Amino acid sequence: MTKDLQGKRIVLGLSGGIACYKSAELVRRMIDLGASVDVVMTDAATHFITAVTMQALSGRPVFLDAWDARIPNNMPHIDLTRGADAVLIAPASADFMAKLVQGRADDLLSTLCLARACPLLVAPAMNREMWAAAPTQRNAEQLKRDGVMILGPGNGDQACGETGDGRMLEPAQLLAELVGFFQPKLLSGKRVLITAGPTVEPIDPVRVISNRSSGKTGYALARAAWEAGAEVTLISGPTALSTPHGVTRINVETAEQMYNAVLASAANQDIFIAVAAVADWRVAKVATDKIKKNADQPPELSFITNPDILATVAKLPNGPWCVGFAAETERLSEFAHEKRLRKGIPMLIGNLAQHVMDADHTTVSIFDMHGEHPLATSGKQDVARQLIHAIATRVDGTQA
Ligand code: CTP
């Protein structure tokens, strides 16, 4: 597991709401990612979850009121926030948001929000009517104007039995937001299109030809591009992976479907990263019925070459800045240079196929007009962030 919050000190504030039960999981996962977490709870929050639970999970004392004698100078609102990298309020009730807008300081959590010297992130959690109510919407807008980051809320079934906007984001989503918050916004305002995973080419209604691509590298790049502030669309063949938070995913199966989906949106994109292991060929005549087994005579399949998605996008007039991938089994440097030029793209990322398929670590080199730039072997998410950095620094300058 990558320690994406290593060295970060976070104050996690809980105000009153049934979503407090999700905060137990949240603090646990923040610790897993290396964060040090100080939990502060309002009186209302303690009606939903106990301080003991949060203390056991955070491994640190939990603070409930401004008169806590455990802090020698009796200034927990100052001591807890100095040196903190962020304050995250999850859940944030409608009442607590209203307090933040007014700058009230009548309990420890609201006081430390006012006294903080670090960013404030707020995850609203309330009934859909409370969220939609004009005062709450006004408060959310005002908080944004005050530089507070509002996370969510999500949409779906609510504890009250109603359905709509107002659910607190899930712990995994809040974690993605928090990790993303600390990443540099290198692609802010950019639109990034990524293909990932294998394609699946049918032989008949039950048989297919595919490849071993897991999609992990493409999904890691999608996540890293979103963390860098981009608007990300991921066009994916079948994988077992969940969609990275904040990313729009379009599912396809065949190379032709992937080609059509990419070309439908490529013109509006700033960057196109082709990571998918697209099948080079498809079966010329897909049988409409299952091909029956004949032991003496295996079927003979003939193939048609699939369109090259990357090369096509690279030729679009005013098309996006293109990045290709090459998984080779030998002579990486030679083949990668040649492939970059043949596809007409400014940047290609190459690796040895035996090192990457389905692994969590990867060893890649960047190939561009200046030559080969190897990156150190690392986890796929870490490498993806380095690649997004490399793309961001080249995107407005380099030509093929
Ligand atoms: N690619 C694509 N559409 C295809 C085939 C490949 O967009 N029909 C993209 C891949 O997503 C990847 C790069 O092109 O970015 C990989 O090219 P590859 O298919 O490996 O190269 P080939 O041209 O097939 O060369 P070779 O088979 O000799 O390796």
Side-chain angles (χ1 to χ4, degrees):
M1 185 188 311
T2 49
K3 297 274 186 187
D4 285 335
L5 293 175
Q6 190 69 48
K8 299 288 183 219
R9 259 200 60 202
I10 312 291
V11 176
L12 175 64
L14 279 66
S15 60
I18 186 59
C20 279
Y21 82 92
K22 294 184 187 173
S23 306
E25 171 76 5
L26 176 63
V27 71
R28 181 70 192 249
R29 298 185 65 168
M30 287 164 76
I31 304 284
D32 286 346
L33 293 189
S36 152
V37 186
D38 284 308
V39 176
V40 178
M41 300 169 69
T42 64
D43 182 48
T46 62
H47 289 271
F48 293 94
I49 190 167
T50 69
V52 174
T53 302
M54 298 307 285
Q55 178 161 332
L57 293 172
S58 68
R60 297 175 64 79
V62 169
F63 292 88
L64 304 176
D65 69 70
W67 317 116
D68 199 312
R70 283 172 298 177
I71 292 193
N73 64 4
N74 254 6
M75 294 194 196
H77 60 294
I78 305 292
D79 281 26
L80 286 170
T81 54
R82 296 301 176 263
D85 294 288
V87 174
L88 168 62
I89 310 294
S93 64
D95 179 58
F96 196 77
M97 288 172 64
K99 278 168 91 162
L100 287 174
V101 168
Q102 292 175 2
R104 289 178 62 191
D106 58 3
D107 61 10
L108 176 58
L109 191 56
S110 54
T111 309
L112 76 79
C113 285
L114 204 58
R116 78 188 196 280
C118 62
L120 175 60
L121 295 85
V122 162
M126 64 199 75
N127 165 268
R128 66 190 174 109
E129 297 293 359
M130 291 174 79
W131 172 250
T136 311
Q137 289 300 309
R138 270 201 307 275
N139 288 340
E141 285 310 312
Q142 184 56 52
L143 286 174
K144 284 186 210 160
R145 279 195 289 275
D146 291 345
V148 174
M149 193 161 164
I150 307 282
L151 310 178
N155 178 284
D157 292 343
Q158 302 201 303
C160 53
E162 299 182 359
T163 303
D165 288 336
R167 280 170 63 99
M168 187 168 87
L169 292 184
E170 297 305 315
Q173 295 174 310
L174 287 174
L175 225 54
E177 290 278 358
L178 195 59
V179 170
F181 176 76
F182 291 115
Q183 294 298 321
K185 301 297 164 214
L186 301 170
L187 293 178
S188 181
K190 299 261 193 258
R191 293 166 63 101
V192 177
L193 180 66
I194 299 176
T195 62
T199 65
V200 173
E201 309 297 329
I203 297 172
D204 67 16
V206 297
R207 299 183 181 92
V208 298
I209 297 174
S210 189
N211 59 64
R212 292 181 186 277
S213 169
S214 66
K216 283 180 184 168
T217 299
Y219 279 57
L221 273 160
R223 180 178 156 190
W226 174 80
E227 287 174 350
E231 190 182 316
V232 184
T233 305
L234 177 65
I235 298 180
S236 176
T239 71
L241 305 173
S242 45
T243 310
H245 178 66
V247 168
T248 303
R249 170 165 155 191
I250 299 170
N251 290 325
V252 296
E253 295 217 329
T254 66
E256 262 190 308
Q257 289 168 357
M258 188 173 275
Y259 177 89
N260 290 333
V262 167
L263 282 225
S265 68
N268 300 324
Q269 304 288 335
D270 298 298
I271 298 168
F272 174 51
I273 312 176
V275 197
V278 185
D280 287 319
W281 311 281
R282 66 177 179 275
V283 175
K285 274 205 190 98
V286 177
T288 44
D289 293 314
K290 184 180 168 192
I291 302 170
K292 297 305 283 178
K293 178 172 59 182
N294 178 341
D296 301 332
Q297 207 180 4
E300 281 188 8
L301 299 174
S302 59
F303 293 91
I304 300 175
T305 302
N306 275 324
D308 190 317
I309 304 168
L310 176 57
T312 308
V313 174
K315 287 197 192 77
L316 289 177
N318 302 318
W321 198 86
C322 290
V323 180
F325 267 75
E328 307 290 349
T329 53
E330 54 168 351
R331 291 151 66 191
L332 173 64
S333 197
E334 176 190 336
F335 288 151
H337 277 303
E338 181 274 327
K339 197 171 285 185
R340 184 181 80 80
L341 294 173
R342 177 160 44 87
K343 302 231 180 201
I345 54 175
M347 179 169 158
L348 184 131
I349 297 151
N351 50 23
L352 287 168
Q354 50 272 44
H355 290 170
V356 288
M357 290 289 182
D358 206 27
D360 288 320
H361 281 67
T362 185
T363 309
V364 305
S365 275
I366 293 170
F367 296 85
D368 64 11
M369 64 188 298
H370 302 295
E372 177 176 356
H373 316 274
L375 300 187
T377 298
S378 192
K380 282 191 173 171
Q381 196 56 56
D382 182 45
V383 168
R385 290 192 184 120
Q386 292 186 52
L387 291 174
I388 288 298
H389 182 270
I391 291 167
T393 53
R394 286 166 172 79
V395 75
D396 292 320
T398 323
Q399 294 301 310

